Amino acid sequence: MEYENILYEKEGVIATITFNRPDTVNAISPALEKELHLALDRADEDSEVRVIILTGSGRAFSAGYDLAGEGQSFEPEGKYPGEYLKGWWGSNLGTMGNVQKLMHLWYLGKPVIAAINGWCMGGGFWYSLACDITIASDKAVFAQPEIRHTDNTTFLFAALAGWKSANRYALTGDHFDAQEALRIGVINEVVPHDELMSRVKKLAERIAMVPEASVRLNKAITCYGLEAMGLR
């Protein structure tokens, strides 16, 4: 399959999906997001693939959703409040909304490791939270700057970082570095920038040493644990 906005590479038991719009700092357009989910399903259905790595090209994991892209408009002018809010509801909680797209990663049978190689903003940050394991370069920077312009944070932030830490950054849009991300619990590990992909691949190979059925079962049970705690 040909992709225009991502790269898909298979190396042994590892499938690597790379956001590949470096000219927009890997901003997530509708076309990129569609390709991403098709690629995730492709890897999940490939019996030779045991682990999926998600990363970005150039200096960023992702700058977040492409709010300036073609056809994108979040201005309320000329709309009734109910119509405007309905649009937000649909884009976040509808059948194909952001929440369902994030949860897609949970329901894959293969674990997804995020390799955060630089800027990890907005929707890119959301996807990093939805991955099963997140490893960050020591050059990584996280934030949700869009909340300063009437946008929302994500429910996964509080689930992982806790109420206080999530509020600290979800109410300000402030940036935080990889060490702070580690401290508040939204990533697993910080590694030297030049070692990021080699360390992530080594972890993927370690996971692949465990029987496939066990990995699939235990990924599901861990996700169900958060749902049992009230995530839904």
Side-chain angles (χ1 to χ4, degrees), residues 4-7 18-24 26 32 55-58:
E4 295 182 1
N5 301 280
I6 67 169
L7 300 175
T18 305
F19 296 131
N20 191 37
R21 295 185 71 208
D23 55 322
T24 65
N26 298 326
L32 182 149
T55 192
S57 61

Side-chain angles (χ1 to χ4, degrees), residues 2-187:
E2 296 295 328
Y3 301 102
E4 295 182 1
N5 301 280
I6 67 169
L7 300 175
Y8 185 94
E9 301 171 282
K10 180 179 168 183
E11 182 181 357
V13 296
I14 302 170
T16 301
I17 300 171
T18 305
F19 296 131
N20 191 37
R21 295 185 71 208
D23 55 322
T24 65
V25 203
N26 298 326
I28 302 171
S29 65
L32 182 149
E33 193 162 40
K34 180 178 180 180
E35 290 184 3
L36 167 64
H37 288 278
L38 288 171
L40 288 168
D41 284 336
R42 173 182 175 181
D44 198 38
E45 293 166 5
D46 188 336
S47 61
E48 296 179 350
V49 171
R50 294 293 315 280
V51 181
I52 302 166
I53 295 173
L54 183 61
T55 192
S57 61
R59 59 194 176 95
F61 179 75
S62 173
Y65 282 101
D66 190 356
L67 302 183
E70 183 178 352
Q72 300 284 357
S73 176
F74 296 92
E75 295 299 326
E77 286 81 0
K79 298 178 182 178
Y80 288 107
E83 178 187 2
Y84 184 65
L85 293 173
K86 182 180 179 181
W88 277 108
W89 176 272
S91 67
N92 283 279
L93 299 173
T95 304
M96 294 302 293
N98 291 335
V99 170
Q100 302 307 322
K101 290 171 182 174
L102 293 175
M103 298 306 286
H104 180 204
L105 278 69
W106 281 35
Y107 297 126
L108 298 172
K110 315 284 175 70
V112 183
I113 304 175
I116 311 302
N117 53 305
W119 296 101
C120 186
M121 303 281 130
F125 176 57
W126 298 1
Y127 271 107
S128 78
L129 295 177
C131 291
D132 299 290
I133 297 172
T134 303
I135 309 297
S137 152
D138 55 11
K139 295 183 179 180
V141 180
F142 303 83
Q144 300 173 99
E146 73 277 16
I147 62 94
R148 299 171 180 170
H149 304 282
T150 318
D151 204 343
N152 58 282
T153 182
T154 175
F155 65 104
L156 290 175
F157 198 10
L160 298 178
W163 177 37
K164 300 294 186 179
S165 292
N167 267 344
R168 166 64 184 84
Y169 295 104
L171 301 183
T172 62
D174 286 349
H175 292 45
F176 54 97
D177 63 15
Q179 289 297 334
E180 176 69 352
L182 180 65
R183 186 189 73 81
I184 64 178
V186 296
I187 65 174

